[in-house]
């Protein structure tokens, strides 16, 4: 069921329609069938040679795609983290930091945790005022950044006992063995 337009909507629509001019019709523009025939006609139609490209000399175009958002943590791995069957040794609390300071702290923390051999970390961002926090919104973007893409396997919201909506589980990739 459609609602009738409000007074302010009608006033706005009136302003828009007052500035628009109708497109002239063919008759108003002086068009006649004879006028169409008088248009310039090409005198000679010569075929255009097709463009020949040797596929062996062309190189494929390489395009760099921006990495998409990180995937969530695998369900079984997340379940083990929630039930504390998998160790959650690395913890970082970003409360009290602004986003300019929080990002380098987060990157350094995750690099150090990965180098120490940790496989999962808890990052507490806080919920922010009214449930809309800057760190809460930006942290998943920072984790998907190419600077951390090589060590972060996935991200999932934390369970209530670990901070709920104000925290994230970060799964870290395995560190290759040193030779």
């Amino acid at each position: 069921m459609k609602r009738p337009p409000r007074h302010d909507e009608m006033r706005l629509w009136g302003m828009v329609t007052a500035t628009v001019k109708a497109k002239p019709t063919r008759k108003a523009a002086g068009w006649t069938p004879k006028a169409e025939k008088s248009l310039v006609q090409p005198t000679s139609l010569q075929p255009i040679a097709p463009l020949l490209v040797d596929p062996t000399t062309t190189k494929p175009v390489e395009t760099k795609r921006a990495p998409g958002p990180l995937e969530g943590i695998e369900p079984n791995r997340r379940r083990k983290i929630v039930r504390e069957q998998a160790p959650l040794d690395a913890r970082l609390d970003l409360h009290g930091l602004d986003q300019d300071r929080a990002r380098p702290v987060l990157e350094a923390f995750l690099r150090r945790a990965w180098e120490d051999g940790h496989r999962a970390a808890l990052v507490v961002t806080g919920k922010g005022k009214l449930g809309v926090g800057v760190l809460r919104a930006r942290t998943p973007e920072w984790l998907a950044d190419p600077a951390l893409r090589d060590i972060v396997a996935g991200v999932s919201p934390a369970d209530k006992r670990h901070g709920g909506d104000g925290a994230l589980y970060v799964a870290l990739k395995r560190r290759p063995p040193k030779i």
Side-chain angles (χ1 to χ4, degrees):
M1 188 169 161
K2 289 177 117 179
R3 67 169 176 80
R6 296 188 317 248
H7 176 71
D8 58 335
E9 293 172 333
M10 289 301 294
R11 194 181 84 230
L12 180 63
W13 182 249
M15 290 170 33
V16 170
T17 56
T19 61
V20 177
K21 294 182 181 177
K23 184 178 176 183
T25 60
R26 287 182 171 181
K27 287 184 181 180
W31 179 85
T32 61
K34 291 180 183 177
E36 186 175 306
K37 291 180 181 177
S38 68
L39 294 175
V40 177
Q41 299 288 331
T43 55
S44 63
L45 295 175
Q46 296 179 357
I48 299 173
L51 177 63
L52 299 176
V53 178
D54 185 11
T56 58
T57 61
T58 58
K59 295 180 184 177
V61 177
E62 294 181 24
T63 57
K64 289 187 177 182
R65 289 180 30 195
L70 281 173
E71 295 181 13
I73 298 175
E74 301 155 348
N76 289 336
R77 187 172 179 188
R78 186 179 188 286
R79 190 177 310 112
K80 288 179 182 178
I81 293 171
V82 170
R83 294 180 180 170
E84 297 177 358
Q85 295 171 348
L88 194 57
D89 298 327
R91 296 171 190 259
L92 174 66
D93 191 347
L94 297 175
H95 279 102
L97 299 177
D98 63 349
Q99 61 181 329
D100 295 330
R101 181 74 182 119
R103 184 174 185 168
V105 168
L106 175 68
E107 289 179 8
F109 165 76
L110 289 176
R111 290 243 175 244
R112 190 172 53 249
W114 179 73
E115 288 172 2
D116 291 344
H118 298 301
R119 299 273 290 131
L122 178 69
V123 177
V124 179
T125 61
K127 293 181 184 177
K129 292 183 180 180
L130 303 175
V132 184
V134 175
L135 297 180
R136 180 181 175 198
R138 298 295 307 272
T139 302
E141 296 173 22
W142 298 337
L143 294 171
D145 191 69
L148 292 176
R149 195 54 98 122
D150 58 336
I151 64 170
V152 175
V155 178
S156 290
D159 189 60
K160 287 181 184 178
R161 73 180 95 184
H162 291 128
D165 292 335
L168 296 170
Y169 294 131
V170 180
L172 300 174
K173 294 181 180 177
R174 280 192 176 30
R175 188 168 168 244
K178 291 183 180 178
I179 298 174

